[in-house]
Amino acid sequence: MPALALAASWLAYVTQVTRSAVRAELGSEHVQTARGRGIPERYVIRKHVLRNASGPIFSVSGVAVAGLIAGCSVVEQAFGVNGVGALLIQSAAKQDLAVVQALALITVVVFATVNTLVDVVTAALDHRVSLEARP
């Protein structure tokens, strides 16, 4: 139940962005050209639509990680689950500065790592971005 409560709002948001990105790509000229050339629909969807729509989807998913990290404290308190979020709230209530700082540091490192991975995956999927160093 806590996982469903935590994921429900972000799942809806990522689904909405996915739908919008795919619809925008389906109406683009390169997709119409590929269809006109007789390329099978599954290849058009996989190679042209999903590949180009994946950038916004991954970007929003990276932002969703921050929301999930922040929301876990509230959900853990509401459902009475002992976890990192509940520990953070209890430590802040007890004014245990060392634990609050450690958990904040871990949270920031996880968030920065996830956002870096999202940026790398987005750059790798976008054929317009060169991954090679320029002289």
Side-chain angles (χ1 to χ4, degrees):
M1 215 39 192
L4 291 176
L6 189 59
S9 64
W10 287 105
L11 181 64
Y13 183 58
V14 171
T15 302
Q16 181 184 12
V17 169
T18 302
R19 180 177 179 263
S20 298
V22 168
R23 282 187 123 189
E25 286 300 319
L26 282 172
S28 63
E29 291 181 17
H30 69 279
V31 172
Q32 299 301 324
T33 302
R35 286 180 176 154
R37 293 178 66 197
I39 296 175
E41 189 68 19
R42 67 176 184 264
Y43 291 119
V44 171
I45 297 295
R46 190 173 70 221
K47 297 285 185 179
H48 295 285
V49 174
L50 291 179
R51 185 172 181 185
N52 290 331
S54 64
I57 296 167
F58 277 116
S59 297
V60 166
S61 298
V63 172
V65 169
L68 291 172
I69 290 171
C72 78
S73 303
V74 175
V75 170
E76 287 175 4
Q77 285 296 112
F79 286 97
V81 177
N82 289 330
V84 176
L87 177 63
L88 180 64
I89 291 175
Q90 291 169 359
S91 299
K94 293 177 186 175
Q95 297 180 350
D96 190 357
L97 188 60
V99 174
V100 172
Q101 285 178 337
L103 291 175
L105 178 65
I106 291 169
T107 302
V108 168
V109 167
V110 167
F111 178 69
T113 303
V114 167
N115 275 327
T116 302
L117 288 174
V118 165
D119 288 343
V120 168
V121 168
T122 301
L125 289 175
D126 193 352
H127 62 280
R128 298 170 292 184
V129 177
S130 175
L131 296 176
E132 298 174 4
R134 294 185 182 176

